[in-house]
Amino acid sequence: MSKRAENYHFIAEDAQAQGRQAESTLNKDALPRNSLTLAVGKQISVIRKMRGMTGRELGKKLNVSQQQISRYERGICQIDVATLIHMLYILETSIDHFFTNVSLRLSELSPEAYTVYHSLFFPVINVSNKDYILMKSAGEFI
């Protein structure tokens, strides 16, 4: 094999190894994120049903289709922050109540993902509004 052919062979093997490594990292990183999307979606579904609202009714109030609501609820599509906040407003649900339940649901659905994200939920779960204002004024939140 010529030097040039050896170089191409080495480059191809290296690219394949990097591809496997990137794929492995992608899958490892995707699991917690997908689990979080699923937990958020399931919580949206629970709250909507508790309020006696259909997906079609919620979609109409949000200016999206019933199919889009279904995609959010099944964790197929990630909901953007503005839509989520407006949805919580429509469903008359506080953000901390919503994310407390998302945290609990995530711990059931994917303990691995919960381990990754659980520290983000502590301020929501363990801090009252009064304590939050004190912590914020003390500069504990950026």
Side-chain angles (χ1 to χ4, degrees):
M1 189 182 278
S2 72
K3 286 265 188 199
R4 189 176 200 167
E6 284 177 23
N7 285 341
Y8 284 128
H9 182 71
F10 176 76
I11 290 169
E13 284 178 350
D14 189 45
Q16 284 178 338
Q18 286 178 0
R20 282 191 301 272
Q21 183 180 8
E23 184 178 294
S24 170
T25 302
L26 177 65
N27 292 340
K28 187 188 283 187
D29 291 341
L31 176 65
R33 188 172 176 200
N34 292 341
S35 298
L36 185 59
T37 302
L38 187 59
V40 166
K42 286 195 178 289
Q43 191 57 34
I44 290 169
S45 176
V46 166
I47 294 170
R48 176 184 59 76
K49 290 174 183 175
M50 283 177 47
R51 300 290 186 257
M53 191 177 290
T54 67
R56 181 182 302 258
E57 292 168 334
L58 181 58
K60 189 172 182 178
K61 290 182 180 201
L62 285 172
N63 247 359
V64 299
S65 67
Q66 180 275 326
Q67 290 83 1
Q68 186 62 34
I69 298 297
S70 176
R71 288 182 199 113
Y72 292 148
E73 291 180 349
R74 291 181 292 142
I76 293 172
C77 291
Q78 294 178 353
I79 189 168
D80 66 81
V81 174
T83 304
L84 178 61
I85 289 174
H86 188 62
M87 181 184 291
L88 294 177
Y89 173 77
I90 290 167
L91 295 171
E92 299 176 350
T93 302
S94 69
I95 292 171
D96 50 327
H97 174 75
F98 178 79
F99 280 107
T100 296
N101 287 316
V102 167
S103 173
L104 296 172
R105 193 165 306 283
L106 185 62
S107 70
E108 295 169 358
L109 288 172
S110 176
E112 180 183 334
Y114 180 77
T115 302
V116 171
Y117 293 118
H118 78 280
S119 64
L120 297 174
F121 294 108
F122 283 124
V124 171
I125 295 170
N126 295 328
V127 178
S128 70
N129 192 38
K130 179 180 167 188
D131 292 335
Y132 173 77
I133 291 167
L134 292 172
M135 291 170 73
K136 188 173 179 184
S137 67
E140 292 186 37
F141 291 104
I142 298 175

